[in-house]
Amino acid sequence: MSDKPTDKHPSGAPWRNFYGRFKGKGLRSSQEAYLDEDLAKLSPGKVTWDENPERTRIDLEALFGGKDVWLEIGFGGGEHMVHQAVQNPDVGIIGCEPYINGVAMLLGKIRKAGADNIRVHPGDARDMFDVLPDQSLSRAFLLYPDPWPKKRHHRRRFVTPEHLEPLARKLKPGAIFRVATDIEDYVRQTLEQVPKHGFEWLAEKPEDWREPWHDWISTRYEQKAFREGRTPHYLTFRKS
Ligand SMILES: C[S@@+](CC[C@H](N)C(=O)[O-])C[C@H]1O[C@@H](n2cnc3c(N)ncnc32)[C@H](O)[C@@H]1O
């Protein structure tokens, strides 16, 4: 059975009532329109459901016609994802973000750029790990993940086995995983944890973290980090 996106939730309420979590300012009416009109069309959720969870998978061939597939985890306002989509029309990009205001911002940017190679999951990246085929992604981005600064909250960080193990399974051998963070202790945890999951840190010298990627565009969160005097770190890993 296939799960077709429809214009309305079965209850008749607009989809935006069911996506993500609301946070921050209310949505402008134009943003509500983006959510109502565009989100169902941009869903990666053409999942073939099966009683066996191992066979419940997204058909990426149908979604992107055989293009390389990249994943952005926590796209915030979506500026980086739209930038990459426009620069790389031969790639299909799936973005995950539970922050509904961010999803609405992204949809506005997709309309403006006219990008047709983005699909949006308005929720947790772990939902995608459940439905993506293994070894299907050639790139993943984790850009300024939530820092969880208190020590007792470090286990909530994305760079923990709970997230890294399924992410590693979804990446192809040779795939690239980029992590940007402005938190030194996050760098420590990333360099400690990510290599345990079959990734090699691609740094010729330790200070290579200072250089942004050649195709980088600064994100909203990075701009905030600069304003508050924090230093970005750019880490690149390759999946073995
Ligand atoms: C600090 S913000 C950075 C946003 C954006 N990448 C940037 O650089 O501006 C971290 C984002 O990750 C999202 N996030 C947190 N946990 C997530 C998860 N499990 N799956 C997807 N997104 C997540 C949050 O909602 C938040 O928008």
Side-chain angles (χ1 to χ4, degrees):
M1 192 179 92
S2 73
D3 198 24
K4 283 175 65 188
T6 56
D7 292 343
K8 286 265 165 66
H9 183 268
S11 69
W15 272 113
R16 65 173 180 275
N17 291 4
F18 297 90
Y19 286 129
R21 58 175 195 262
F22 283 82
K23 169 164 116 173
K25 286 187 264 175
L27 296 168
R28 293 196 301 274
S29 59
S30 59
Q31 293 180 316
E32 291 185 355
Y34 301 154
L35 290 171
D36 288 345
E37 292 165 23
D38 297 352
L39 195 46
K41 285 184 268 176
L42 294 179
S43 166
K46 289 206 170 182
V47 172
T48 307
W49 295 106
D50 192 289
E51 280 175 20
N52 178 351
E54 288 303 312
R55 289 198 295 263
T56 299
R57 291 287 178 264
I58 289 183
D59 184 349
L60 290 177
E61 180 70 36
L63 204 56
F64 291 126
K67 292 176 175 178
D68 272 3
V69 182
W70 296 357
L71 179 74
E72 184 161 331
I73 299 157
F75 57 72
E79 48 282 327
H80 175 266
M81 195 162 55
V82 172
H83 171 76
Q84 290 291 352
V86 170
Q87 302 301 313
N88 299 283
D90 295 338
V91 167
I93 310 186
I94 300 175
C96 311
E97 174 58 66
Y99 170 39
I100 201 72
N101 301 60
V103 174
M105 282 187 247
L106 168 76
L107 297 178
K109 291 184 181 105
I110 292 176
R111 276 196 186 193
K112 202 167 163 203
D116 63 358
N117 52 340
I118 294 180
R119 296 294 179 275
V120 187
H121 172 56
D124 196 305
R126 284 171 293 187
D127 304 337
M128 295 309 300
F129 298 152
D130 290 342
V131 294
L132 281 168
D134 287 355
Q135 300 198 358
S136 59
L137 301 172
S138 41
R139 192 167 286 206
F141 302 96
L142 178 66
L143 307 174
Y144 296 99
D146 288 333
W148 293 110
K150 290 185 184 151
K151 193 153 193 211
R152 69 175 188 279
H153 291 154
H154 285 185
R155 64 179 187 276
R156 297 187 192 172
R157 288 177 170 171
F158 197 88
V159 289
T160 49
E162 180 200 353
H163 302 97
L164 293 174
E165 190 274 324
L167 173 65
R169 262 191 292 120
K170 302 302 155 184
L171 288 167
K172 293 179 176 174
I176 294 296
F177 178 36
R178 290 182 176 178
V179 182
T181 178
D182 55 330
I183 306 294
E184 283 187 15
D185 190 65
Y186 210 108
V187 175
R188 177 200 60 74
Q189 193 171 342
T190 303
L191 292 178
E192 177 191 285
Q193 290 296 322
V194 173
K196 289 184 184 168
H197 297 271
F199 292 91
E200 176 196 1
W201 180 29
L202 298 183
E204 285 172 16
K205 38 191 192 312
E207 61 273 25
D208 276 358
W209 58 260
R210 292 171 195 272
E211 281 297 312
W213 298 287
H214 68 281
D215 54 356
W216 178 240
I217 181 176
S218 189
T219 65
R220 274 160 61 91
Y221 188 86
E222 183 174 83
Q223 291 301 312
K224 182 166 178 268
F226 282 136
R227 284 196 301 277
E228 294 173 4
R230 293 188 299 276
T231 306
H233 298 66
Y234 308 97
L235 307 173
T236 308
F237 299 90
R238 183 172 51 215
K239 177 79 180 58
S240 53

